Amino acid sequence: MTLDFDKMGGLVPAIIQDNKTSKVLMLGFMNREAFDKTIEIGKVTFFSRTKNRLWTKGEESGNFLNVVTILEDCDHDTLLIKVNPVGPVCHTGADTCFNEKNQEDIMFIKYLQDFICRRHEEMPDGSYTTFLFNKGINRMAQKVGEEAVETVIEATNGTDDRLIYEASDLIYHLIVLLTSKGYRFEDLAVELKKRHKE
């Protein structure tokens, strides 16, 4: 990275974003030393303007910000750091410094997709997902069909709880099937977006 620390007197703003939920958690500032330490230890470290020293977020509370990726903007003077936070981020105890709940349940689908991709790469023994991949495309497709039928039955003659349960099974097996064919659930979002008309 070619960060321009001179533009703001030796500092660059660092926007901290949750890697799973995409929520903006906080904003801090880094000097070159804080940036280098963040890279070195894998935990977000800021330059505290009030204490005039480096400050690793969580050094007192244990609520560290574990770095996933670091991106710089087009002007090389602002960072976007995606993290996996440990606990609430704000000193007030709130999830974010903007007093938002750091929760987007729909983003669990992305996490599940990533998890299933890892299963496909690693194929650990004793995993049901590994079992499905080993059984092959026909068995995976059969499971999608079975879960679709069970979802329809619960929608027409069952309970709401069972409908959600069976529909969740359907989504899981569909993600496994898509992964086996080299696709991701996000590919469905791309297709649906192309079809959508306001």
Side-chain angles (χ1 to χ4, degrees):
M1 289 189 181
T2 54
L3 288 169
D4 184 355
F5 286 96
D6 295 330
K7 197 177 288 187
M8 290 184 60
L11 299 175
V12 295
I15 301 161
I16 310 302
Q17 181 182 41
D18 190 294
N19 186 54
K20 292 190 182 86
T21 66
S22 293
K23 285 278 188 187
V24 173
L25 302 176
M26 68 176 294
L27 172 73
F29 290 88
M30 291 183 174
N31 61 8
R32 168 65 69 185
E33 191 180 358
F35 177 75
D36 291 343
K37 185 168 182 184
T38 296
I39 299 289
E40 178 189 340
I41 68 172
K43 297 181 188 318
V44 174
T45 300
F46 297 109
F47 177 78
S48 171
R49 294 167 295 162
T50 54
K51 297 174 184 173
N52 197 34
R53 68 170 178 85
L54 295 189
W55 164 61
T56 299
K57 176 73 173 126
E59 64 188 22
E60 294 176 9
S61 66
N63 297 336
F64 293 104
L65 300 172
N66 295 314
V67 175
V68 178
T69 59
I70 300 178
L71 305 171
E72 62 180 327
D73 77 337
C74 55
D75 291 324
H76 310 287
D77 61 5
T78 303
L79 293 168
L80 175 63
I81 304 178
K82 297 185 181 186
V83 302
N84 290 326
V86 178
V89 172
C90 188
H91 70 281
T92 64
D95 286 354
T96 80
C97 289
F98 305 99
N99 204 29
E100 288 187 302
K101 280 280 184 202
N102 185 21
Q103 187 175 338
E104 291 289 342
D105 290 338
I106 191 67
M107 296 303 290
F108 180 76
I109 298 290
K110 180 182 182 305
Y111 171 82
L112 181 61
Q113 173 67 79
D114 292 341
F115 179 83
I116 290 171
C117 281
R118 283 196 307 277
R119 282 288 194 256
H120 193 237
E121 291 167 8
E122 298 166 3
M123 299 291 276
D125 290 336
S127 160
Y128 176 65
T129 308
T130 299
F131 168 80
L132 288 173
F133 285 132
N134 283 331
K135 283 295 181 182
I137 195 74
N138 289 342
R139 179 62 178 143
M140 286 181 270
Q142 180 186 357
K143 283 300 292 180
V144 170
E146 289 172 5
E147 299 302 341
V149 169
E150 290 173 9
T151 299
V152 169
I153 290 169
E154 292 301 331
T156 55
N157 295 306
T159 66
D160 289 347
D161 286 347
R162 290 299 301 173
L163 169 61
I164 295 300
Y165 184 88
E166 296 300 344
S168 298
D169 278 352
L170 173 59
I171 295 299
Y172 161 77
H173 286 91
L174 180 58
I175 293 173
V176 171
L177 178 65
L178 288 168
T179 302
S180 74
K181 298 289 286 182
Y183 294 102
R184 291 178 56 92
F185 203 74
E186 291 94 324
D187 292 309
L188 303 185
V190 170
E191 177 61 26
L192 290 169
K193 187 176 177 182
K194 280 195 290 190
R195 298 181 191 183
H196 181 69
K197 303 272 190 289
E198 290 283 336

